[in-house]
Amino acid sequence: MLYPGSAKPLYEQLKDYIKQAISSGEYKQGQALPSERQLMENLRVSRITVRQAIGELVNEGVLYRQHGKGTFVAQKRILRPLASLLGIAEMLNLQGIEADMKVIKKCITKADTVIARELGLNTGDNVMMIKRLISTGDEPLLINFNYLSPQVGMVLDNVDLTQDPIFSQLELYGYKISEGFQRITASKATGEEARYLQCENNSPVLIIKNTTFVDSGRPILYSSAIFRGDRYEVNITLKRNPSY
């Protein structure tokens, strides 16, 4: 129930109402929200109120829109502490999230300037490329690209990459992974990315690029993950140095 006479704006009350309905299980993850007209009629509020409340919940990642289909309850965000060196599958497993991994493409290709630099190769050298789409529930989460030298990539030839974490498989074959260097940037989904991630063109995405090293200091894997902006959250623990 919303209260027009309350000091709290109606759109804020509607946001609270929807969040409570999600918490109680009335609206489940992946479920379509009632239409704008239904919300207007059931709660006796204006279209402007409904659109403002839903728009803010979409921005907060509580809801998401699918063009031509409606507004849906989002899966909970994936949280990742920056200090941990984890593969995608390991990160999801650690949070108890069941993920569906689909290999879109696996092939030998030519290293461009960036891939060659990150793997210590020459531009145009052969590399193995593994492209995967990773979803939770029925909702796409990210597109994952992995690049390895062909010699290292051979280790993964007979591995089920829809199930087995890449880091763990490399370690099983004697590659002692020690550290990684990560870059995080914000961008907008291209047409192809939007098609895979089931979001609108130019929707916000988070791009995370990792170069992973073995204990000898040699780069072994270069990866790029394109996350839906409403599904991923980075957590950083900061400590103050009193000497500053």
Side-chain angles (χ1 to χ4, degrees):
M1 179 68 69
L2 307 186
Y3 300 95
S6 170
K8 193 169 194 178
L10 280 175
Y11 78 92
E12 289 282 2
Q13 295 183 49
L14 180 54
K15 285 174 62 179
D16 292 343
Y17 172 86
I18 293 172
K19 287 179 179 179
Q20 178 58 39
I22 293 171
S23 297
S24 68
E26 180 181 350
Y27 300 155
K28 296 179 172 55
Q29 292 181 7
Q31 179 181 336
L33 210 65
S35 68
E36 286 185 359
R37 180 169 296 278
Q38 287 175 302
L39 290 171
M40 290 165 55
E41 292 176 353
N42 293 345
L43 299 172
R44 298 183 180 180
V45 292
S46 69
R47 187 179 299 274
I48 293 175
T49 296
V50 171
R51 288 186 173 176
Q52 185 170 359
I54 289 177
E56 292 197 4
L57 290 174
V58 168
N59 291 336
E60 292 172 14
V62 177
L63 305 174
Y64 68 96
R65 292 189 177 104
Q66 282 193 7
H67 184 66
K69 295 183 178 179
T71 304
F72 297 79
V73 179
Q75 304 281 343
K76 70 177 182 179
R77 285 178 179 241
I78 310 302
L79 307 179
R80 180 173 185 170
L82 278 185
S84 301
L85 178 57
L86 299 169
I88 296 295
E90 292 173 329
M91 177 186 66
L92 296 174
N93 289 338
L94 190 64
Q95 296 187 43
I97 297 172
E98 293 186 6
D100 176 56
M101 301 191 187
K102 178 182 178 182
V103 177
I104 299 171
K105 191 173 185 179
K106 180 181 176 185
C107 66
I108 299 296
T109 187
K110 301 293 183 182
D112 63 18
T113 303
V114 173
I115 296 168
R117 182 189 69 226
E118 296 300 323
L119 290 177
L121 303 173
N122 296 315
T123 301
D125 283 355
N126 286 340
V127 290
M128 174 175 281
M129 187 274 286
I130 302 164
K131 178 181 179 181
R132 297 184 296 176
L133 177 65
I134 300 177
S135 305
T136 56
D138 295 326
E139 188 179 6
L141 172 63
L142 70 116
I143 309 166
N144 178 222
F145 295 85
N146 295 280
Y147 301 93
L148 311 96
S149 68
Q151 295 82 356
V152 177
M154 286 174 59
V155 169
L156 304 176
D157 265 352
N158 299 314
V159 171
D160 181 0
L161 294 173
T162 66
Q163 298 292 330
D164 297 316
I166 289 178
F167 277 14
S168 299
Q169 287 300 315
L170 292 174
E171 288 170 333
L172 283 174
Y173 281 86
Y175 293 99
K176 296 181 180 179
I177 295 174
S178 61
E179 62 182 6
F181 180 71
Q182 184 175 91
R183 292 142 294 227
I184 303 175
T185 57
S187 187
K188 295 180 179 179
T190 65
E192 181 182 13
E193 292 164 357
R195 178 167 57 85
Y196 279 120
L197 295 175
Q198 295 181 15
C199 61
E200 296 183 4
N201 287 2
N202 296 320
S203 293
V205 293
L206 199 63
I207 301 176
I208 300 182
K209 299 177 180 179
N210 286 287
T211 304
T212 304
F213 301 85
V214 292
D215 56 1
S216 65
R218 178 166 65 96
I220 189 175
L221 171 68
Y222 174 63
S223 64
S224 175
I226 303 165
F227 286 84
R228 280 179 47 153
D230 60 351
R231 294 297 316 282
Y232 190 79
E233 182 176 313
V234 176
N235 288 344
I236 308 172
T237 298
L238 303 175
K239 294 185 179 179
R240 179 166 175 78
N241 187 333
S243 65
Y244 289 156

